[in-house]
Amino acid sequence: MASTDKVGAVMVVGGGISGLQSALDLADSGFKVYLVEKQPSIGGTMAQLDKTFPTNDCAMCIMAPKLVSTGRHHNIELVTNADIMAVDGKAGDFKVTVKRRALRVDPTKCTGCGSCAQTCPIETSDEYNENTKVRKAIYVRYPQAVPLVYSIDKDKCIGCGICAEECKAKAVVYDQEESTSEINVGSIILSPGFDEFDARLKGEYGYGVYKNVVTSIEFERMLSATGPYFGTVMRPSDGDIPEKIAFIQCVGSRDEQVGNEYCSGVCCMYSIKEAIIAKEHGGDIKPKVFFMDMRAFGKEFDEYYNRAQNEYGIEFVRSRVASVFENPETKNLVVKYVEKGEPKEEEFGLVVLAVGLRPPEDAEALSKVIGFDLNSDGFCQTTALDPISSSKAGVFVSGAFSSPKDIPMTVAEASGAAAKAATEIASARDSLVTKKEYPAELDISGQEPRIGVFVCHCGINIGGVVKVPSVAEYARTLPNVAYAEENLYTCSQDTQEKIKEMIKEHELNRVVVASCTPRTHEPLFQNTIKEAGLNSYLFEMANIRDQCSWIHMHEAEAATKKAKDLVRMAVAKARLLEPLENLTIDVNQQALVIGGGATGMVAALELAKQGVKVHIVEKDENLGGNMLKLHYLPSEEDPTEHAKALADEVASNDDITVHTGTGVKSIEGYVGNFKTVLESGEEIEHGVVILAVGGQEYKPEGEYLYGENPNVLTLLEFKDKLKKGEVKGDSYVFIQCVGSREEGHPNCSRVCCTGTMTAAIKVKEKNPDAEVYVLYRDIRTYGFREAYYKDAAEKGVTFIRFEDDVKPKVEDKGGKLQVTVTDEDTDKEVVLVSDYLVLASGTRPYPESEALAPMLKVPMTKEGFFLEAHMKLRPVDFATEGVYLAGLSHGPKFLDECIGQGLAAVARAMTILSKKTLEAEGIVASLDETLCDGCGICVPTCEYKALEIIVDKKDETKKLVDVNVGLCKGCGACVGACPSGALTQKGFKDEQIVAMIDAALEGVMDNEEVKQ
Amino acid sequence: MTHHSKKKHESEGEWEPKIIGFLCNWCSYAGADLCGVSRFQYPTNIRLVRVMCSTRISPHLVLDVFEAGADGILIGGCHFNDCHYMTGNFHTEKRVGLMKRLLKEAGVDEKRLRLEWVSASEGEKFSKVVTEFTEEIQKLGPCKARTDDMVKAKISAADDASETFRLKALVGKEYNLLSKGNAYGEEVDPEKLGGIIDAASRDEFERALILELARIRPMSVKQLGMVMDVPTDKILRHIVLLRQNSKIAMEHPEGFTPVYKTIAIGGEQ
């Protein structure tokens, strides 16, 4: 191993969705991770959300797999209930002192069964449910919490001792002390998230005084099926369903009064979502959203906004609400506001305040202990060209801690931070991770099944209802069961040893555990039998807790009978289980980056710094892309100079091969094994692909005299002239949303509002007397970009809003441009005479994306951007493994966001490239070639592109489907589709499923026979 | 019909307090015997039940007695440190505390339940206690547990509350927590613990009463609030918990006011 003074471990501070993503990416690419979390369990804010925009996915459903993987990952150590006390050392070698507050429960013994909380007599407010529910003094934050370890809230506990008496695992330790430890890591990632704005500070809205004024996050819990009202929206005052709900935007955002001038970036979208979900839950509910500018700037967000208006009939009122008063009789709320200059009031049953995002409470303490800078708003300071790095070397940042942002941007940054953190310590990769060694696998071929059955009491969770001894007794009577026993906790460490002993003693070759759910516990037991030399697929579980004892608590007899049925079914399948093989695929450790703009260059450099050989392909003669055309970044940094520096760095890097002036002709292969032919004829073999083909500014030919009058320019063209000093004039009109948010291009281009602000400010700086008008629909200067909007307004730029469907008219009046627009606020026509007309035109994808998509079998949006695997949690992945996307070809975005995504793609790619081989799934589709006639019906059912129709090598006239087990994820879609029965799914064969069904219905059949 | 009206007439005109006394075998029962031996006289309204120790009287027994139509209950035990079973009467005191809390919640004057320490040598004291107590009940009038539906429902709710694990646990631990400290080896502030038990008793009573009322017919939060004279937001918080514990179900609302019905556990069996 190469000697290194770097430490191959990373500390991730904060276990929300951001921390989870960073931790998983790092742990999957050869680094040890310490995930430090303030709370007793990880999950953060996302775990509290009901649904997520713009897909309306259930937040917990999409998040739970990441929670479980993090909790179970052998290279991730969870350090929960902990605070960072001190940090010494430097980048590559930090010594972090961490204090763990006492849980008062031994995490190695607690099985998370929950009997303690059931009997605890102390009730207190449940923070996870925003105090709309109660929890006990011994508790887990939420039912799916990871780690599933209870802890005692010492402030509330009276020390009655009942939980300790109740706990069969003897896990309660009242005198547990806090502990301090020093952890040695090479990099640190900060992802402590954000705090909600305290709505009490906006006294005029009555939060905390009026019961029916709630915050958006409280409303989120109210919408949730696991929340207090089981998903029915109710008024906290009296349980009535509110007929009318008012959503008030910008509570604690864009508000000088409370000291938060920035835009929180996410509230417009979450309010639209909450309004839609409320409407879905009760059709008669009438939501109304009061907003200033609708900031639906993300990918496909405007379409979501349009649906809210057109399909769901949600009303939107452009107004900042002045105040809210309660009708003391009805507890209804009177909302006072001004619309088009006219004071109005309206009564609502419920008011939801869209509270903004604040830096976390401990931001300042963290910045002092670790030694990085905060910006003037108290968030972590970053720069546009290095959005992931804090001011301290070796300390990186992701998520809302650097600026308010939504989940997809957070997840992308989290991967980006993982990439940066890994680069810092790339020389120490694989130095601290562990690889488990298992004994040689026993050959069980030809053996009669000898099944061992382990039935769990789960403390009293199962045993209190189901007669466990009689279930174990019954199991012994089943055919092929060689051994059965009952355990207090089958998942406990000592039982794992017992299972291994019994496998030896009774020569067991199949194991069945009847306990909780395989979704959380199957991997544990599979590991146990693997340690005893059995193939891990020779295992089956019967879920007699979550799906039996817990739901039939008052029917002991029937529950016991059902538990026996479930065990009989599991045994029936176990009899037919076969050892499965996890095939390994060799990985070519080179990367291909398509696109030589900022995103592609950043990605290529980062990969190279981690020791990867990279090929970068750029269609133009020079590297640089759009970055060469950008001027006046908000931060004053000069992107053009930086682009040139980046290009030089790429060109001079020995590990990067630059292919300019050529496109991609063809790409074949799959993860770890791609072969690409360039138009130049060069052939490249590589293991992953990063798509960073970029986008371009829309040229609005034929609109607003563009192309006819030389003084009508796009924003980029105007800025270029401005930079060169070629702009001369006293009056300027900017028109927003040119080619965006209209038919055919329904979505927002995200960057044009801010781009307009920086241009307008520059014009005003050069000529303070210039008349500058911005004609707009919504100003979408989200996050800290709001400052430029404010600056422009303060410098005297005039903003005029026009109706979405009444575009301004432009005429050429002998050298001057005359712009006629109807001011929506006054309904009056305004005529402006101007020297320049600047069109803030949208971002469009490059046409070459369309050619690449079929080569890589990746999907696109209607507008021609690439469509990622999941809009929320897999922003830079495709369903096709080994292919990643970043930058403008994903959708319009700012330079810093492109860089963040470019780095994210690197981290995702490194989860593949850091390994010499990949292990495929064991549960995969397999083909009986004699039955397959190559009809191809299965092919489109495969989301992972693992199927292909090929010519049978043995018989050239015959066609066959080829299953690429390297890509197969084992869902079984193709098996269900196959008309000839040629495809089967290993581990879920027809006969295995049928055996379970027969076993389930055994008693029924007997009864029917008796009747006949 | 005639039978019924006669009974009604009786209760109006010739009402006499019906009092049940529970006496511990070793002190107060012996004291009552001594009272007889000494010929100290007391009113005839009381009927005595012997138990081995006053601590045997579970809260729900007391409430059962009121539900059965008694107007007053006397519990007699040994003086502190005299208990035949060492600490029985200390626990009695805590349980009576809970019973009084629940009676208060149920709107039954807590004076109807009296705890007295009477030793085997206090025959005269016993006669005085019974005489005074009978007069007191006379003044308070009939308990109405059998005649007034709301009082009946409330006592029944108090009875159910007294049987909850939570209150049993708190009161069961109360004496030891106060006398020996808690699991952390800390002293427990009696006032703080008293406050916790007060709040818990009120919550459990209110929840039990919601279940009692919603058993008869589905009720809305506002109706419950009105009948129980409890703020509707608090009623809703109770409903949240009762739904979570599968004790009450929301009936699909017509219009904008959901109603709730108590789930009959094991009803189908």
Side-chain angles (χ1 to χ4, degrees), chain A residues 442-552:
Chain A
L442 299 167
D443 181 12
I444 64 150
S445 53
Q447 289 180 12
E448 246 323 82
R450 291 181 59 79
I451 305 170
V453 181
F454 297 82
V455 189
C456 183
H457 281 264
C458 193
I460 57 165
N461 278 282
I462 297 171
V465 178
V466 170
K467 294 189 190 81
V468 171
S470 88
V471 176
E473 188 57 44
Y474 173 73
R476 280 182 203 109
T477 67
L478 294 169
N480 296 105
V481 172
Y483 178 75
E485 69 167 49
E486 51 190 288
N487 318 105
L488 186 54
Y489 290 105
T490 308
C491 61
S492 69
Q493 199 45 51
D494 52 327
T495 309
Q496 304 319 298
E497 295 308 314
K498 185 83 188 293
I499 292 174
K500 285 189 259 178
E501 277 170 39
M502 291 307 111
I503 290 173
K504 266 198 202 102
E505 194 177 318
H506 297 275
E507 293 174 350
L508 304 176
N509 53 23
R510 311 278 192 289
V511 170
V512 170
V513 170
S515 61
C516 48
T517 169
R519 292 183 59 251
T520 54
H521 280 66
E522 190 175 55
L524 168 76
F525 297 121
Q526 286 188 317
N527 183 58
T528 300
I529 70 166
K530 206 171 168 189
E531 284 173 355
L534 285 181
N535 181 286
S536 60
Y537 293 94
L538 296 170
F539 175 77
E540 187 61 27
M541 245 172 129
N543 188 343
I544 63 167
R545 186 186 73 175
D546 306 40
Q547 297 182 7
C548 186
S549 67
W550 275 355
I551 46 171
H552 312 302

Side-chain angles (χ1 to χ4, degrees), chain A residues 15-33:
Chain A
I17 187 63
S18 181
L20 295 188
Q21 185 63 45
S22 297
L24 286 169
D25 283 340
L26 286 161
D28 282 338
S29 52
F31 299 98
K32 168 93 188 172
V33 178

Side-chain angles (χ1 to χ4, degrees), chain A residues 180-191:
Chain A
T180 302
S181 53
E182 195 184 85
I183 299 173
N184 197 196
V185 295
S187 311
I188 298 174
I189 295 176
L190 306 167
S191 51

Side-chain angles (χ1 to χ4, degrees), chain B residues 18-33:
Chain B
K18 289 177 282 296
I19 299 172
I20 300 292
F22 294 106
L23 303 182
C24 82
N25 183 61
W26 307 98
C27 295
S28 40
Y29 195 86
D33 278 350

Side-chain angles (χ1 to χ4, degrees), chain A residues 781-926:
Chain A
T781 47
Y782 61 96
F784 301 132
R785 295 167 184 89
E786 182 72 6
Y788 306 105
Y789 180 20
K790 195 171 169 246
D791 189 18
E794 280 171 2
K795 286 200 160 63
V797 174
T798 309
F799 292 90
I800 299 174
R801 214 195 91 75
F802 60 93
E803 274 287 2
D804 293 356
D805 42 5
V806 191
K807 286 189 180 179
K809 285 188 188 64
V810 182
E811 288 159 280
D812 192 335
K813 293 274 175 179
K816 288 262 184 184
L817 290 152
Q818 181 178 302
V819 182
T820 312
V821 62
T822 306
D823 183 341
E824 199 226 7
D825 277 346
T826 58
D827 274 337
K828 286 201 181 103
E829 203 163 82
V830 181
V831 179
L832 306 166
V833 179
S834 173
D835 294 321
Y836 283 94
L837 175 62
V838 184
L839 304 177
S841 62
T843 307
R844 296 282 158 84
Y846 269 127
E848 67 174 7
S849 298
E850 220 166 317
L852 282 165
M855 288 186 213
L856 286 161
K857 301 166 190 157
V858 296
M860 303 185 86
T861 68
K862 289 191 291 291
E863 292 166 285
F865 293 106
F866 288 122
L867 181 60
E868 59 271 34
H870 190 276
M871 281 215 173
K872 215 70 189 174
L873 294 188
R874 297 182 67 194
V876 302
D877 291 17
F878 286 110
T880 313
E881 244 188 306
V883 188
Y884 308 94
L885 79 162
L888 295 184
S889 56
H890 160 276
K893 61 181 66 66
F894 286 97
L895 179 59
D896 54 340
E897 296 168 332
C898 288
I899 293 173
Q901 279 196 338
L903 293 170
V906 170
R908 300 296 302 138
M910 287 312 293
T911 63
I912 308 281
L913 297 179
S914 62
K915 302 178 183 95
K916 287 199 171 62
T917 57
L918 291 177
E919 193 168 90
E921 297 280 335
I923 297 169
V924 288
S926 75

Side-chain angles (χ1 to χ4, degrees), chain B residues 126-224:
Chain B
F126 185 76
S127 101
K128 264 191 186 161
V129 164
V130 174
T131 309
E132 266 176 40
F133 188 51
T134 311
E135 279 167 14
E136 178 134 50
I137 299 297
Q138 191 86 46
K139 259 186 250 163
L140 288 171
C143 174
K144 292 188 188 158
R146 282 168 74 88
T147 51
D148 182 320
D149 280 346
M150 195 58 199
V151 177
K152 200 168 151 186
K154 284 184 168 177
I155 291 184
S156 176
D159 194 349
D160 292 345
S162 76
E163 288 288 277
T164 56
F165 180 85
R166 184 171 172 222
L167 291 186
K168 289 211 153 186
L170 282 170
V171 174
K173 292 280 178 183
E174 191 180 3
Y175 169 66
N176 282 341
L177 281 171
L178 293 175
S179 59
K180 294 176 187 149
N182 68 14
Y184 303 98
E186 301 161 343
E187 264 185 50
V188 175
D189 174 8
E191 217 163 285
K192 195 178 153 208
L193 184 60
I196 288 171
I197 299 176
D198 282 344
S201 308
R202 190 166 308 126
D203 285 348
E204 293 301 333
F205 169 77
E206 286 169 1
R207 288 167 196 166
L209 186 55
I210 289 171
L211 294 176
E212 198 65 39
L213 295 170
R215 188 168 289 135
I216 306 158
R217 67 185 173 90
M219 289 183 84
S220 71
V221 169
K222 278 189 278 195
Q223 287 167 331
L224 286 164

Side-chain angles (χ1 to χ4, degrees), chain A residues 508-681:
Chain A
L508 304 176
N509 53 23
R510 311 278 192 289
V511 170
V512 170
V513 170
S515 61
C516 48
T517 169
R519 292 183 59 251
T520 54
H521 280 66
E522 190 175 55
L524 168 76
F525 297 121
Q526 286 188 317
N527 183 58
T528 300
I529 70 166
K530 206 171 168 189
E531 284 173 355
L534 285 181
N535 181 286
S536 60
Y537 293 94
L538 296 170
F539 175 77
E540 187 61 27
M541 245 172 129
N543 188 343
I544 63 167
R545 186 186 73 175
D546 306 40
Q547 297 182 7
C548 186
S549 67
W550 275 355
I551 46 171
H552 312 302
M553 289 172 71
H554 307 292
E555 294 162 89
E557 283 302 322
T560 304
K561 187 174 174 298
K562 179 171 168 183
K564 288 179 184 172
D565 289 351
L566 294 173
V567 168
R568 186 172 66 243
M569 289 163 70
V571 166
K573 184 176 176 191
R575 216 174 283 137
L576 302 173
L577 288 173
E578 302 158 325
L580 301 184
E581 197 185 348
N582 297 95
L583 283 179
T584 54
I585 308 162
D586 289 334
V587 175
N588 177 314
Q589 288 171 300
Q590 293 199 90
L592 173 68
V593 177
I594 306 178
T599 311
M601 291 193 291
V602 164
L605 277 173
E606 204 69 17
L607 284 165
K609 285 182 199 163
Q610 293 200 25
V612 172
K613 298 252 185 276
V614 186
H615 292 268
I616 184 165
V617 181
E618 167 58 46
K619 184 170 58 42
D620 286 348
E621 291 305 324
N622 296 309
L623 294 171
N626 284 310
M627 200 177 178
L628 294 167
K629 300 177 197 156
L630 296 183
H631 302 293
Y632 306 122
L633 275 196
S635 56
E636 294 286 326
E637 285 151 301
D638 189 341
T640 317
E641 287 310 307
H642 191 77
K644 287 176 186 155
L646 264 181
D648 288 345
E649 203 182 337
V650 169
S652 61
N653 191 306
D654 291 343
D655 286 329
I656 304 177
T657 314
V658 181
H659 309 263
T660 46
T662 178
V664 170
K665 193 170 160 200
S666 70
I667 305 177
E668 276 174 7
Y670 55 94
V671 61
N673 301 276
F674 288 103
K675 192 179 275 177
T676 295
V677 181
L678 301 182
E679 282 164 357
S680 61

